[in-house]
Amino acid sequence: MTPAPLPEPSDQALVAAYRQGDQRAASELVRRHGPAVARFLYSSGALAADIEDLVQETLFRAFRGLERWRGEASFRSWLFTIAGNLARDAFRRRKGREVISLEDRDLPDRADPDAELAAGELEDRLRAELGRLPRLQREVFLLRAQEGTSYEEIARALGTTPGAARVHYHHAVKRLKELVG
Amino acid sequence: MSGCTRLSDRMPEVVHGRSRWTADEAAHLAACAECRRELALLQATVTLGRRTPRLGDAERMAATIERRLTGIRTRRIGVQRVAGLAAAATLLLAVWTKWPERPVANPAGPSRPAAPALVPLPELELLDPAELDSLLQRMEQPSVGGSTLDAPGLGDLEDTELEQVLATWEG
């Protein structure tokens, strides 16, 4: 009989281990949350070439300010808050420049190039429109649509109420729905 | 809660594969173009997330972050040390500059101006070795009370000492 796999340590346990000097805990936190932060940043309009640096900066700031994370919101939501601030700063710095270009995406080979092109165009328009949404609408929408986060969790992460988060989400959906046929 | 609102609330769960539509929800979706558009939007958003450029090695990134944090900690310790030294230097300077003005219990009263030097310092080359030794010993002794104001004036000298000093001054 094979032993049952050990349960994965919680984020809180990993953070505690890291603060005790366990570097493997930091690696695990990066592995666990880095891709989601990257998705959030990319969907918010960050350039593909900047994603790695922005994710690293997000995690760096998080580790530097760990004492500010009380555990009320999930570690990931807290990272999204930091990433949201970074994305906004990055957007301000390059304001006026083209945000999204086709070269930013690596298009995988697909059987139907027309369908692929149409899907790529939709994603480009979606990213562009997401970048134009008010900040809270964009962050609530991405947390909800892309990560499946509950309104309660979103509210804790973004410092608002679940009801307000729901309203932001529906405003975003109403605006973004125009993009899809 | 309308069917559309209920479906909207459930969409993320279904899109992320954590739940499935019930028969009623599936029927609503089939009949409601707005809900289908919302579902298509969510699916496009999830697909967009999957197109995100892949990150490099997590351990390497964690190590880079740790190096940056170590650099900050080191700089912070350095700044604290420099600040501590600066504070100590400022304190010393303050004590040094204020010391002669320290109020002294003296019968002459507080309005008496500070004398530049109350111990007469004759030209050293004119002193014989015994006088020089005596003077040097007195200079090396800690000043009682720490102030030159406490040093004896000419009026405090014995007659023979006074004569000696006057003779030295006159050459």
Side-chain angles (χ1 to χ4, degrees), chain A residues 76-105:
Chain A
R76 181 171 291 189
S77 301
W78 187 56
L79 291 176
F80 284 149
T81 308
I82 299 169
N85 291 333
L86 280 173
R88 186 183 47 184
D89 293 346
F91 182 75
R92 276 187 191 147
R93 276 199 299 275
R94 62 168 210 269
K95 213 166 188 176
R97 285 164 49 190
E98 185 61 35
V99 176
I100 295 161
S101 66
L102 283 171
E103 289 75 26
D104 289 334
R105 290 184 296 108

mmCIF file of all heavy atoms in Angstrom, chain A residues 76-105:
data_model
loop_
_atom_site.group_PDB
_atom_site.id
_atom_site.type_symbol
_atom_site.label_atom_id
_atom_site.label_comp_id
_atom_site.label_asym_id
_atom_site.label_seq_id
_atom_site.Cartn_x
_atom_site.Cartn_y
_atom_site.Cartn_z
ATOM 1 N N ARG A 76 -2.370 35.055 -2.627
ATOM 2 C CA ARG A 76 -2.457 35.353 -4.055
ATOM 3 C C ARG A 76 -3.173 36.676 -4.307
ATOM 4 O O ARG A 76 -2.740 37.477 -5.124
ATOM 5 C CB ARG A 76 -3.172 34.214 -4.797
ATOM 6 C CG ARG A 76 -3.274 34.466 -6.276
ATOM 7 C CD ARG A 76 -3.781 33.273 -7.034
ATOM 8 N NE ARG A 76 -2.812 32.194 -7.029
ATOM 9 C CZ ARG A 76 -2.926 31.088 -7.755
ATOM 10 N NH1 ARG A 76 -3.971 30.914 -8.532
ATOM 11 N NH2 ARG A 76 -2.013 30.149 -7.709
ATOM 12 N N SER A 77 -4.261 36.896 -3.604
ATOM 13 C CA SER A 77 -4.993 38.158 -3.775
ATOM 14 C C SER A 77 -4.126 39.340 -3.392
ATOM 15 O O SER A 77 -4.164 40.393 -4.029
ATOM 16 C CB SER A 77 -6.262 38.165 -2.916
ATOM 17 O OG SER A 77 -7.078 37.092 -3.277
ATOM 18 N N TRP A 78 -3.330 39.147 -2.347
ATOM 19 C CA TRP A 78 -2.427 40.209 -1.912
ATOM 20 C C TRP A 78 -1.392 40.480 -3.007
ATOM 21 O O TRP A 78 -1.082 41.631 -3.312
ATOM 22 C CB TRP A 78 -1.749 39.786 -0.604
ATOM 23 C CG TRP A 78 -0.923 40.848 0.034
ATOM 24 C CD1 TRP A 78 -1.323 42.102 0.394
ATOM 25 C CD2 TRP A 78 0.447 40.760 0.391
ATOM 26 N NE1 TRP A 78 -0.276 42.788 0.952
ATOM 27 C CE2 TRP A 78 0.818 41.993 0.971
ATOM 28 C CE3 TRP A 78 1.404 39.750 0.291
ATOM 29 C CZ2 TRP A 78 2.103 42.237 1.440
ATOM 30 C CZ3 TRP A 78 2.674 39.995 0.765
ATOM 31 C CH2 TRP A 78 3.021 41.227 1.330
ATOM 32 N N LEU A 79 -0.914 39.412 -3.624
ATOM 33 C CA LEU A 79 0.032 39.580 -4.736
ATOM 34 C C LEU A 79 -0.623 40.339 -5.893
ATOM 35 O O LEU A 79 0.007 41.189 -6.528
ATOM 36 C CB LEU A 79 0.530 38.220 -5.234
ATOM 37 C CG LEU A 79 1.449 37.431 -4.310
ATOM 38 C CD1 LEU A 79 1.777 36.067 -4.924
ATOM 39 C CD2 LEU A 79 2.738 38.191 -4.049
ATOM 40 N N PHE A 80 -1.886 40.029 -6.154
ATOM 41 C CA PHE A 80 -2.582 40.729 -7.238
ATOM 42 C C PHE A 80 -2.698 42.222 -6.941
ATOM 43 O O PHE A 80 -2.641 43.041 -7.852
ATOM 44 C CB PHE A 80 -3.981 40.143 -7.455
ATOM 45 C CG PHE A 80 -3.970 38.824 -8.178
ATOM 46 C CD1 PHE A 80 -4.938 37.879 -7.933
ATOM 47 C CD2 PHE A 80 -2.994 38.528 -9.112
ATOM 48 C CE1 PHE A 80 -4.942 36.659 -8.595
ATOM 49 C CE2 PHE A 80 -2.978 37.311 -9.777
ATOM 50 C CZ PHE A 80 -3.955 36.376 -9.515
ATOM 51 N N THR A 81 -2.893 42.541 -5.677
ATOM 52 C CA THR A 81 -2.969 43.960 -5.310
ATOM 53 C C THR A 81 -1.648 44.654 -5.626
ATOM 54 O O THR A 81 -1.627 45.745 -6.207
ATOM 55 C CB THR A 81 -3.284 44.096 -3.802
ATOM 56 O OG1 THR A 81 -4.430 43.314 -3.506
ATOM 57 C CG2 THR A 81 -3.559 45.536 -3.426
ATOM 58 N N ILE A 82 -0.552 44.018 -5.253
ATOM 59 C CA ILE A 82 0.769 44.590 -5.541
ATOM 60 C C ILE A 82 0.979 44.654 -7.048
ATOM 61 O O ILE A 82 1.439 45.670 -7.588
ATOM 62 C CB ILE A 82 1.876 43.747 -4.873
ATOM 63 C CG1 ILE A 82 1.708 43.737 -3.355
ATOM 64 C CG2 ILE A 82 3.262 44.273 -5.252
ATOM 65 C CD1 ILE A 82 2.589 42.731 -2.627
ATOM 66 N N ALA A 83 0.638 43.563 -7.736
ATOM 67 C CA ALA A 83 0.821 43.511 -9.195
ATOM 68 C C ALA A 83 -0.021 44.578 -9.885
ATOM 69 O O ALA A 83 0.423 45.194 -10.867
ATOM 70 C CB ALA A 83 0.452 42.128 -9.715
ATOM 71 N N GLY A 84 -1.227 44.809 -9.365
ATOM 72 C CA GLY A 84 -2.094 45.837 -9.940
ATOM 73 C C GLY A 84 -1.448 47.215 -9.858
ATOM 74 O O GLY A 84 -1.494 47.994 -10.818
ATOM 75 N N ASN A 85 -0.826 47.491 -8.724
ATOM 76 C CA ASN A 85 -0.128 48.785 -8.573
ATOM 77 C C ASN A 85 1.037 48.884 -9.544
ATOM 78 O O ASN A 85 1.262 49.934 -10.158
ATOM 79 C CB ASN A 85 0.397 48.941 -7.139
ATOM 80 C CG ASN A 85 -0.728 49.122 -6.148
ATOM 81 O OD1 ASN A 85 -1.799 49.611 -6.488
ATOM 82 N ND2 ASN A 85 -0.507 48.700 -4.920
ATOM 83 N N LEU A 86 1.772 47.790 -9.678
ATOM 84 C CA LEU A 86 2.914 47.791 -10.598
ATOM 85 C C LEU A 86 2.455 47.963 -12.044
ATOM 86 O O LEU A 86 3.073 48.697 -12.817
ATOM 87 C CB LEU A 86 3.685 46.477 -10.471
ATOM 88 C CG LEU A 86 4.635 46.358 -9.300
ATOM 89 C CD1 LEU A 86 5.193 44.945 -9.220
ATOM 90 C CD2 LEU A 86 5.776 47.346 -9.451
ATOM 91 N N ALA A 87 1.371 47.265 -12.391
ATOM 92 C CA ALA A 87 0.862 47.347 -13.765
ATOM 93 C C ALA A 87 0.430 48.780 -14.074
ATOM 94 O O ALA A 87 0.681 49.303 -15.169
ATOM 95 C CB ALA A 87 -0.310 46.389 -13.943
ATOM 96 N N ARG A 88 -0.188 49.413 -13.101
ATOM 97 C CA ARG A 88 -0.635 50.793 -13.296
ATOM 98 C C ARG A 88 0.568 51.723 -13.491
ATOM 99 O O ARG A 88 0.580 52.565 -14.378
ATOM 100 C CB ARG A 88 -1.449 51.229 -12.075
ATOM 101 C CG ARG A 88 -2.085 52.599 -12.209
ATOM 102 C CD ARG A 88 -2.794 52.977 -10.956
ATOM 103 N NE ARG A 88 -1.950 52.729 -9.792
ATOM 104 C CZ ARG A 88 -2.333 52.896 -8.538
ATOM 105 N NH1 ARG A 88 -3.549 53.269 -8.280
ATOM 106 N NH2 ARG A 88 -1.517 52.672 -7.536
ATOM 107 N N ASP A 89 1.604 51.515 -12.668
ATOM 108 C CA ASP A 89 2.809 52.342 -12.810
ATOM 109 C C ASP A 89 3.466 52.109 -14.168
ATOM 110 O O ASP A 89 3.913 53.057 -14.817
ATOM 111 C CB ASP A 89 3.819 52.024 -11.695
ATOM 112 C CG ASP A 89 3.303 52.441 -10.331
ATOM 113 O OD1 ASP A 89 2.319 53.204 -10.292
ATOM 114 O OD2 ASP A 89 3.861 51.991 -9.317
ATOM 115 N N ALA A 90 3.522 50.834 -14.573
ATOM 116 C CA ALA A 90 4.154 50.506 -15.863
ATOM 117 C C ALA A 90 3.351 51.123 -17.002
ATOM 118 O O ALA A 90 3.921 51.642 -17.966
ATOM 119 C CB ALA A 90 4.227 48.989 -16.031
ATOM 120 N N PHE A 91 2.032 51.091 -16.863
ATOM 121 C CA PHE A 91 1.173 51.672 -17.903
ATOM 122 C C PHE A 91 1.394 53.181 -17.995
ATOM 123 O O PHE A 91 1.497 53.740 -19.074
ATOM 124 C CB PHE A 91 -0.288 51.359 -17.597
ATOM 125 C CG PHE A 91 -1.237 51.884 -18.645
ATOM 126 C CD1 PHE A 91 -1.350 51.258 -19.871
ATOM 127 C CD2 PHE A 91 -1.994 53.018 -18.407
ATOM 128 C CE1 PHE A 91 -2.210 51.744 -20.845
ATOM 129 C CE2 PHE A 91 -2.856 53.518 -19.374
ATOM 130 C CZ PHE A 91 -2.961 52.880 -20.591
ATOM 131 N N ARG A 92 1.515 53.837 -16.837
ATOM 132 C CA ARG A 92 1.749 55.294 -16.824
ATOM 133 C C ARG A 92 3.071 55.634 -17.512
ATOM 134 O O ARG A 92 3.169 56.602 -18.245
ATOM 135 C CB ARG A 92 1.805 55.796 -15.381
ATOM 136 C CG ARG A 92 0.441 56.065 -14.799
ATOM 137 C CD ARG A 92 0.621 56.721 -13.453
ATOM 138 N NE ARG A 92 -0.641 56.755 -12.740
ATOM 139 C CZ ARG A 92 -0.746 56.656 -11.435
ATOM 140 N NH1 ARG A 92 0.316 56.528 -10.695
ATOM 141 N NH2 ARG A 92 -1.915 56.704 -10.855
ATOM 142 N N ARG A 93 4.089 54.810 -17.206
ATOM 143 C CA ARG A 93 5.420 55.096 -17.762
ATOM 144 C C ARG A 93 5.431 55.011 -19.282
ATOM 145 O O ARG A 93 6.126 55.757 -19.941
ATOM 146 C CB ARG A 93 6.455 54.113 -17.191
ATOM 147 C CG ARG A 93 6.997 54.536 -15.838
ATOM 148 C CD ARG A 93 8.300 53.828 -15.546
ATOM 149 N NE ARG A 93 8.126 52.380 -15.503
ATOM 150 C CZ ARG A 93 7.747 51.711 -14.436
ATOM 151 N NH1 ARG A 93 7.515 52.341 -13.322
ATOM 152 N NH2 ARG A 93 7.601 50.403 -14.465
ATOM 153 N N ARG A 94 4.659 54.088 -19.831
ATOM 154 C CA ARG A 94 4.733 53.930 -21.276
ATOM 155 C C ARG A 94 3.476 54.471 -21.964
ATOM 156 O O ARG A 94 3.162 54.090 -23.077
ATOM 157 C CB ARG A 94 4.941 52.468 -21.650
ATOM 158 C CG ARG A 94 3.851 51.531 -21.253
ATOM 159 C CD ARG A 94 4.035 50.186 -21.936
ATOM 160 N NE ARG A 94 2.759 49.571 -22.143
ATOM 161 C CZ ARG A 94 2.182 48.756 -21.279
ATOM 162 N NH1 ARG A 94 2.775 48.447 -20.167
ATOM 163 N NH2 ARG A 94 0.996 48.233 -21.537
ATOM 164 N N LYS A 95 2.791 55.355 -21.272
ATOM 165 C CA LYS A 95 1.569 55.930 -21.822
ATOM 166 C C LYS A 95 1.869 56.599 -23.162
ATOM 167 O O LYS A 95 2.856 57.309 -23.317
ATOM 168 C CB LYS A 95 0.977 56.958 -20.862
ATOM 169 C CG LYS A 95 -0.526 57.005 -20.914
ATOM 170 C CD LYS A 95 -1.062 57.773 -19.732
ATOM 171 C CE LYS A 95 -2.580 57.624 -19.696
ATOM 172 N NZ LYS A 95 -3.142 58.265 -18.532
ATOM 173 N N GLY A 96 1.029 56.350 -24.116
ATOM 174 C CA GLY A 96 1.241 56.941 -25.425
ATOM 175 C C GLY A 96 1.893 55.973 -26.395
ATOM 176 O O GLY A 96 1.833 56.146 -27.593
ATOM 177 N N ARG A 97 2.545 54.932 -25.798
ATOM 178 C CA ARG A 97 3.136 53.929 -26.680
ATOM 179 C C ARG A 97 2.104 52.851 -26.984
ATOM 180 O O ARG A 97 1.122 52.696 -26.268
ATOM 181 C CB ARG A 97 4.347 53.281 -26.003
ATOM 182 C CG ARG A 97 5.566 54.174 -25.993
ATOM 183 C CD ARG A 97 6.597 53.695 -25.006
ATOM 184 N NE ARG A 97 6.875 52.274 -25.145
ATOM 185 C CZ ARG A 97 7.598 51.582 -24.273
ATOM 186 N NH1 ARG A 97 8.104 52.187 -23.239
ATOM 187 N NH2 ARG A 97 7.804 50.298 -24.443
ATOM 188 N N GLU A 98 2.333 52.110 -28.037
ATOM 189 C CA GLU A 98 1.416 51.023 -28.388
ATOM 190 C C GLU A 98 1.456 49.964 -27.288
ATOM 191 O O GLU A 98 2.524 49.508 -26.885
ATOM 192 C CB GLU A 98 1.842 50.396 -29.717
ATOM 193 C CG GLU A 98 0.921 49.336 -30.249
ATOM 194 C CD GLU A 98 -0.481 49.837 -30.520
ATOM 195 O OE1 GLU A 98 -0.641 50.999 -30.933
ATOM 196 O OE2 GLU A 98 -1.422 49.058 -30.304
ATOM 197 N N VAL A 99 0.304 49.614 -26.757
ATOM 198 C CA VAL A 99 0.261 48.691 -25.629
ATOM 199 C C VAL A 99 0.415 47.243 -26.079
ATOM 200 O O VAL A 99 1.170 46.462 -25.525
ATOM 201 C CB VAL A 99 -1.067 48.856 -24.848
ATOM 202 C CG1 VAL A 99 -1.160 47.834 -23.729
ATOM 203 C CG2 VAL A 99 -1.164 50.258 -24.283
ATOM 204 N N ILE A 100 -0.299 46.908 -27.115
ATOM 205 C CA ILE A 100 -0.340 45.509 -27.512
ATOM 206 C C ILE A 100 0.060 45.388 -28.982
ATOM 207 O O ILE A 100 -0.381 46.163 -29.825
ATOM 208 C CB ILE A 100 -1.764 44.939 -27.339
ATOM 209 C CG1 ILE A 100 -2.134 44.933 -25.854
ATOM 210 C CG2 ILE A 100 -1.880 43.548 -27.914
ATOM 211 C CD1 ILE A 100 -3.604 44.830 -25.616
ATOM 212 N N SER A 101 0.897 44.452 -29.240
ATOM 213 C CA SER A 101 1.226 44.196 -30.632
ATOM 214 C C SER A 101 1.162 42.698 -30.879
ATOM 215 O O SER A 101 1.275 41.904 -29.948
ATOM 216 C CB SER A 101 2.623 44.729 -30.955
ATOM 217 O OG SER A 101 3.572 43.989 -30.242
ATOM 218 N N LEU A 102 0.985 42.332 -32.111
ATOM 219 C CA LEU A 102 0.871 40.904 -32.423
ATOM 220 C C LEU A 102 2.160 40.160 -32.078
ATOM 221 O O LEU A 102 2.129 38.989 -31.756
ATOM 222 C CB LEU A 102 0.543 40.716 -33.904
ATOM 223 C CG LEU A 102 -0.914 40.983 -34.279
ATOM 224 C CD1 LEU A 102 -1.066 40.977 -35.778
ATOM 225 C CD2 LEU A 102 -1.848 39.972 -33.638
ATOM 226 N N GLU A 103 3.275 40.894 -32.132
ATOM 227 C CA GLU A 103 4.556 40.235 -31.840
ATOM 228 C C GLU A 103 4.657 39.831 -30.375
ATOM 229 O O GLU A 103 5.492 39.027 -30.020
ATOM 230 C CB GLU A 103 5.733 41.180 -32.161
ATOM 231 C CG GLU A 103 5.965 41.408 -33.627
ATOM 232 C CD GLU A 103 4.934 42.345 -34.220
ATOM 233 O OE1 GLU A 103 4.367 43.168 -33.501
ATOM 234 O OE2 GLU A 103 4.688 42.216 -35.432
ATOM 235 N N ASP A 104 3.783 40.406 -29.552
ATOM 236 C CA ASP A 104 3.856 40.070 -28.131
ATOM 237 C C ASP A 104 3.382 38.650 -27.854
ATOM 238 O O ASP A 104 3.615 38.118 -26.779
ATOM 239 C CB ASP A 104 2.985 41.033 -27.302
ATOM 240 C CG ASP A 104 3.613 42.406 -27.259
ATOM 241 O OD1 ASP A 104 4.836 42.496 -27.397
ATOM 242 O OD2 ASP A 104 2.865 43.366 -27.106
ATOM 243 N N ARG A 105 2.661 38.097 -28.770
ATOM 244 C CA ARG A 105 2.089 36.778 -28.508
ATOM 245 C C ARG A 105 2.808 35.708 -29.327
ATOM 246 O O ARG A 105 3.203 35.931 -30.457
ATOM 247 C CB ARG A 105 0.606 36.750 -28.885
ATOM 248 C CG ARG A 105 -0.258 37.555 -27.969
ATOM 249 C CD ARG A 105 -1.704 37.408 -28.334
ATOM 250 N NE ARG A 105 -2.000 37.932 -29.653
ATOM 251 C CZ ARG A 105 -2.265 37.187 -30.695
ATOM 252 N NH1 ARG A 105 -2.256 35.878 -30.600
ATOM 253 N NH2 ARG A 105 -2.541 37.724 -31.843
#
